[in-house]
Amino acid sequence: MLESTPQPPPRSRDRAPRAEGFTLVEIMFVLAILAILGMVTLGHFRSLNRDAEFQQCQANIVLINQAMERYKSEAMFYPETLAQILYAEYGLPELPRCPGGGNHPADGDYGLAVPEASLEGYQYRLYCTGERHKGKAPAGFPQYNSTTNKFLEY
């Protein structure tokens, strides 16, 4: 008796044997989906970063305002420049930097507008000169008004 080895069935001429793994089209499709998801999340993180910078800028203005109020409680009037409140006893050894990148080198990134004295005493307005805040507040940058004792709404 002759033993014969089993022969595989004859191949069809239409089909080539499929190799293991992914095709180039499948890989390109997955990469395209990942790129789209990456662009969507990157845009979201950038807007979150801008919002965080704006809120940090407002917090810095509150710190400056508190130092101005400490100055007023001691001197009985508000300072005319921000340089007058740069003392540790007022809680502000140096002016904070705006995360939005201000452009006011003399007073740091923040400005102080003091109008003429009125019957109620001195009034002032603190504002940030950061360029990245443009359009987020009514005047284009965070502002604090001493008369209303709050930020301008946006």
Side-chain angles (χ1 to χ4, degrees):
M1 297 182 124
L2 272 177
E3 286 189 31
S4 64
T5 57
Q7 296 281 333
R11 292 188 189 165
S12 167
R13 292 183 187 189
D14 298 340
R15 282 193 179 168
R18 182 169 171 119
E20 302 259 340
F22 298 107
T23 65
L24 181 61
V25 172
E26 292 170 334
I27 292 174
M28 294 296 286
F29 185 71
V30 169
L31 288 177
I33 290 174
L34 289 176
I36 291 170
L37 288 174
M39 287 189 300
V40 168
T41 56
L42 184 64
H44 180 68
F45 286 132
R46 282 186 184 163
S47 72
L48 288 177
N49 194 17
R50 272 187 245 114
D51 291 344
E53 286 176 351
F54 187 78
Q55 290 173 355
Q56 178 64 44
C57 186
Q58 283 186 329
N60 288 345
I61 289 175
V62 167
L63 286 175
I64 295 170
N65 178 51
Q66 290 172 349
M68 289 186 67
E69 293 297 330
R70 287 187 198 109
Y71 181 93
K72 181 186 180 229
S73 70
E74 186 175 303
M76 299 302 174
F77 57 89
Y78 287 113
E80 294 179 10
T81 65
L82 291 179
Q84 291 174 297
I85 60 171
L86 294 181
Y87 297 106
E89 61 199 40
Y90 301 131
L92 200 66
E94 63 182 21
L95 281 176
R97 299 291 301 178
C98 173
N103 55 7
H104 213 265
D107 290 331
D109 297 334
Y110 298 96
L112 172 65
V114 182
E116 293 293 320
S118 64
L119 294 176
E120 294 86 32
Y122 284 104
Q123 301 171 0
Y124 63 91
R125 185 173 48 90
L126 289 170
Y127 59 92
C128 175
T129 60
E131 288 296 318
R132 287 191 222 162
H133 303 314
K134 294 267 184 210
K136 286 206 57 90
F141 44 83
Q143 290 188 37
Y144 177 83
N145 193 338
S146 69
T147 352
T148 59
N149 201 20
K150 61 181 169 180
F151 283 95
L152 294 177
E153 297 297 324
Y154 57 95

